[in-house]
Amino acid sequence: MQILLVHNPFEFTKPKTWLAWIIRIVTNSEWNHCAVCIEIDGEQWVSDFQAHYKLRPYDEWLNEDKRRVFKTVYVESKVPLLQQKNEVIAGSGRYLGYDWLKLINHLTKRKFGFVIFKENENRFICSEWVLFLQTGEKVNWAVPNDLDRKSVV
């Protein structure tokens, strides 16, 4: 399984990079985003959660942002490739998108010991999606650094 770990460098004039910086602070991670690269019908596709679920050709993903830095990590997966493909293809109709509230919950839990919002099982943060495709199980919390440090075998 191919995982893409992403770091968007901070640029004062680019608000998207502010969000990336905030995510790195909240998650205490070098990476602010991650995605899965998977082959479907002989083509490389990227599956991830940003504001909503996205599935697009690898070249399109690569050209979305020329400033981002990314690292490719190869890991073994407990989930058969056909099942991964089925989840990736069905993702847009099945899952609601990125769980911004979970990031706030993580911060308040880490700093104050409690959460504010009820979490939605049909939403993910990007690293949870990657681990779901790797393990076949819904993961309650993971950050991109977790994917860089170890793999589930």
Side-chain angles (χ1 to χ4, degrees), residues 16 40 103 146:
K16 181 180 172 183
I40 301 173
L103 286 176
D146 295 333

Side-chain angles (χ1 to χ4, degrees), residues 3-113:
I3 300 170
L4 305 168
L5 299 168
V6 179
H7 177 103
N8 295 90
F10 181 79
E11 262 185 69
F12 187 77
T13 59
K14 307 277 185 195
K16 181 180 172 183
T17 68
W18 293 29
L19 180 58
W21 176 69
I22 291 167
I23 289 171
R24 286 194 298 275
I25 289 172
V26 170
T27 62
N28 195 29
S29 183
E30 176 183 350
W31 310 101
N32 56 273
H33 186 62
C34 60
V36 171
C37 188
I38 190 166
E39 186 176 314
I40 301 173
D41 296 330
E43 274 190 71
Q44 292 295 106
W45 290 77
V46 174
S47 169
D48 63 351
F49 278 87
Q50 292 179 6
H52 53 85
Y53 176 77
K54 285 188 169 184
L55 177 64
R56 58 217 180 278
Y58 177 78
D59 291 338
E60 182 181 315
W61 178 84
L62 198 57
N63 291 320
E64 276 179 357
D65 186 350
K66 297 284 189 185
R67 294 170 286 106
R68 74 173 151 212
V69 177
F70 71 95
K71 174 181 176 179
T72 304
V73 178
Y74 295 91
V75 298
E76 291 186 39
S77 176
K78 293 180 177 181
V79 179
L81 186 57
L82 182 59
Q83 185 180 340
Q84 288 178 33
K85 287 180 185 179
N86 289 340
E87 286 292 343
V88 163
I89 291 167
S92 62
R94 190 176 295 161
Y95 303 113
L96 299 174
Y98 197 89
D99 196 350
W100 296 104
L101 301 179
K102 186 172 276 197
L103 286 176
I104 297 168
N105 278 349
H106 177 67
L107 181 63
T108 60
K109 186 174 184 179
R110 197 174 74 191
K111 296 284 186 189
F112 308 111

Side-chain angles (χ1 to χ4, degrees), residues 127-138:
S127 44
E128 292 174 337
W129 174 245
V130 170
L131 281 174
F132 173 69
L133 292 174
Q134 187 182 16
T135 65
E137 299 172 9
K138 181 82 162 98

